[in-house]
Amino acid sequence: LSSSVLPLTAAVLTESALIFGGGDLWMKDAMQRSQSSSTERIASIGNFYGTTFAGAAVAVGVYSTGLLAKSYSWRTAGRRIAESLVLAGVTTTVLKAAVGRARPYTNMGSTHVSPFAFKEDYYSWPSGHTTVAFAVSSSLARSIDNAWVGSLLYLGAASTGAARM
């Protein structure tokens, strides 16, 4: 394997082992034990950031700013966000259907899967909200190209993932 594929493969295998081995359950339990009104507010922001509406609003806002300012780079950034959202959405939807992991409310356990069931009850993984948040953050971070801003964007996306638990 090439040096660029190896870390990605390791990350996917590690996440799969954690997710389907129940590793996410202890994280969810720990997070729910430490809930407070402050963490609930942060979680609600993270949840909103991961909605398709928020992602589309950012893409349209950035692109529109580029039109108004006659800025090619802003228009490109807006298109890049929109493209990322479409690609991430298609990939996530295909993976959700192919994997078919049961949602927590079904009480079937983290290892229960029903591939290609095509039911909402089996669309738990990967997280659509987290995918949207990382698609927007990655696109913006690439366009802005500033380590501090990029770190904040990725922190926002990570908070979406945490909020989904």
Side-chain angles (χ1 to χ4, degrees):
L1 293 173
S2 75
S3 62
S4 62
V5 174
L6 194 58
L8 178 62
T9 303
V12 169
L13 291 174
T14 301
E15 179 182 354
S16 298
L18 284 170
I19 296 293
F20 294 102
D24 61 335
L25 296 178
W26 68 262
M27 267 187 355
K28 180 187 81 160
D29 290 342
M31 292 176 77
Q32 288 181 346
R33 279 193 307 270
S34 62
Q35 282 182 325
S36 69
S37 60
S38 297
T39 59
E40 286 298 315
R41 279 193 298 275
I42 293 168
S44 68
I45 293 167
N47 275 319
F48 179 74
Y49 184 56
T51 63
T52 305
F53 173 79
V58 171
V60 169
V62 170
Y63 186 81
S64 298
T65 300
L67 286 176
L68 292 171
K70 295 180 176 45
S71 169
Y72 177 78
S73 62
W74 278 77
R75 290 191 313 269
T76 300
R79 281 193 309 270
R80 186 177 290 143
I81 295 165
E83 290 169 2
S84 294
L85 287 169
V86 170
L87 289 171
V90 168
T91 304
T92 300
T93 301
V94 168
L95 281 171
K96 282 179 179 283
V99 172
R101 183 178 189 217
R103 290 198 180 268
Y105 65 75
T106 64
N107 293 319
M108 293 182 189
S110 65
T111 59
H112 185 83
V113 295
S114 186
F116 303 105
F118 300 108
K119 292 182 180 176
E120 184 63 27
D121 288 351
Y122 296 99
Y123 285 175
S124 178
W125 184 87
S127 165
H129 281 73
T130 306
T131 302
V132 165
F134 273 98
V136 171
S137 291
S138 298
S139 296
L140 281 172
R142 181 170 180 221
S143 295
I144 295 169
D145 195 27
N146 177 291
W148 291 104
V149 173
S151 296
L152 290 173
L153 288 165
Y154 283 114
L155 181 62
S159 74
T160 298
R164 298 309 295 165
M165 288 190 228

